[in-house]
Amino acid sequence: MKPRVQITLTPLQHNNLRLVAIHFGANDNVKNHVMAFDDVRYSKTYSTFYTVYHENVINELFDHFRDKGWYVDYSGFKSNTSKSNKKIEFKDNYKLPSLNMEKLKELEGFKKWLQQKRFSQNTVHTYVEVTGLFLRYLESKDIASLSTRSIEQFNYDFIFKTKKSVSYQNQCISGIKHYFGFKGLTTEGIEIERPKKDKKLPTVLSKGEVRAILDVTTNLKHRTLLSLVYSAGLRIGEALKLRPNDIDTARGLIKVKSAKGRKDRYTLLAPSLVPLLESYIAHYRPNSFLFEGRSEEAYTQVSARQVFKKALSMAEITKYATLHTLRHSFATHLLESGTDIRYIQELLGHNSPKTTMIYTHVSSTNLSEIKNPFENL
């Protein structure tokens, strides 16, 4: 079995500046991926790659390397626990016991089984990861058999007590149930109640806020990427998978291939965006992907998120927003301009109109038509 790549993140202090040192074995592919992370530099003094420390950088680095399925040791940034404490700290996944070679091979087989069922890459990675944690949990508790009870114990100790999100809890349950199927075990009688997700309304940026974000983004690639995500209502993963020939300027359309649910669809190409897009293509000459990082690989989601975060800060927008907020804003602005919700559903690639209907709750047009009773007091 090919050895798993390990990345180690450690604190580094230089001239009163907090840094994150990034250590890894000699490997050109790993080196290129490390360098693809924004603001990474190499220190000859310390003989290591590093980046500046900030509140979210460890999570961003973890996501950056997780995309490759690599092991990330960031224990140097965790508070020290008492050595006399014998309890397993489930907030730190890596303090669970390691799996033996037999179990690792089994997990690899589970991964291939999921891939053959054509699950998305992200779903495969998540299911394998949570199943691995489940098996390590069973090892820590000396539980030999797979059962409803063992899942319930894992659910309580690892998910509920550590305050994992509802979404993550559902992913864990789904991953473990698929593992049962892989093992040929029946799931009859295994009724783990799934918690209902909170019905939260999406954050929406005003047209003025979107304009401000684009105005402060002067880098040609970054401005084109953010403009395309908003103007076409794309998920960031869809935008980064686009290829140059997916852009149909003659018809004013963008073809989104193998989107969520493995469906192709067409969405809008704004006419006013075409000059910017053509200028970007002429300058960067993308080959494999429309937005490329180094070595013609697709631009990473981590880098894209950093671009958006920087633009938010420069535009002095304080409301919480992510790249997906641009997609929400696209849909809401279409609804406010009078576009039929069935067309919006098609442009977004939603299976059910119920999903698209959420934008009726955040549309200011509909709300503004309601006469406030305060006016009649």
Side-chain angles (χ1 to χ4, degrees), residues 4-196:
R4 191 179 187 187
V5 171
Q6 175 168 325
I7 308 292
T8 304
L9 308 177
T10 60
L12 181 63
Q13 192 89 8
H14 183 71
N15 293 336
N16 294 321
L17 186 64
R18 294 183 69 188
L19 306 172
V20 181
I22 307 169
H23 307 283
F24 54 93
N27 186 314
D28 287 340
N29 289 333
V30 177
K31 178 181 176 182
N32 289 335
H33 196 63
V34 169
M35 293 172 66
F37 189 85
D38 281 2
D39 299 325
V40 162
R41 301 177 184 178
Y42 184 79
S43 168
K44 291 183 179 179
T45 303
Y46 298 100
S47 300
T48 186
F49 286 92
Y50 71 92
T51 190
V52 177
Y53 177 85
H54 59 78
E55 184 180 0
N56 297 317
V57 73
I58 302 302
N59 287 335
E60 291 172 359
L61 285 165
F62 184 85
D63 288 343
H64 184 63
F65 297 122
R66 172 180 169 170
D67 285 345
K68 294 287 188 180
W70 296 338
Y71 177 92
V72 183
D73 178 2
Y74 56 98
S75 57
F77 289 91
K78 297 169 187 169
S79 57
N80 294 325
T81 54
S82 171
K83 291 183 179 179
S84 62
N85 186 2
K86 300 293 183 180
K87 293 182 180 180
I88 298 171
E89 180 56 68
F90 292 107
K91 289 184 180 180
D92 178 359
N93 299 341
Y94 299 112
K95 288 185 180 178
L96 291 170
S98 300
L99 295 176
N100 58 35
M101 188 60 68
E102 181 182 352
K103 287 293 183 185
L104 288 173
K105 287 181 178 178
E106 190 172 87
L107 272 182
E108 187 64 27
F110 178 47
K111 178 180 179 180
K112 292 178 179 177
W113 184 79
L114 292 170
Q115 289 171 335
Q116 289 170 2
K117 288 185 173 291
R118 301 300 181 94
F119 284 102
S120 71
Q121 183 178 348
N122 285 340
T123 300
V124 170
H125 181 86
T126 300
Y127 284 2
V128 172
E129 181 181 59
V130 299
T131 300
L133 292 173
F134 173 61
L135 294 177
R136 292 165 65 189
Y137 172 80
L138 296 183
E139 186 77 21
S140 71
K141 295 289 187 179
D142 292 324
I143 299 173
S145 61
L146 299 173
S147 64
T148 303
R149 178 59 181 158
S150 63
I151 299 176
E152 288 174 340
Q153 282 183 260
F154 173 73
N155 184 43
Y156 181 78
D157 285 340
F158 183 76
I159 300 173
F160 177 75
K161 285 176 67 175
T162 57
K163 299 180 180 179
K164 295 288 195 302
S165 69
V166 169
S167 176
Y168 186 78
Q169 181 172 352
N170 282 324
Q171 286 178 323
C172 285
I173 294 170
S174 294
I176 293 168
K177 283 197 168 185
H178 277 92
Y179 177 71
F180 272 56
F182 164 71
K183 293 283 290 180
L185 301 172
T186 179
T187 56
E188 291 181 10
I190 299 180
E191 294 297 334
I192 307 298
E193 186 175 350
R194 296 173 182 268
K196 293 182 179 179

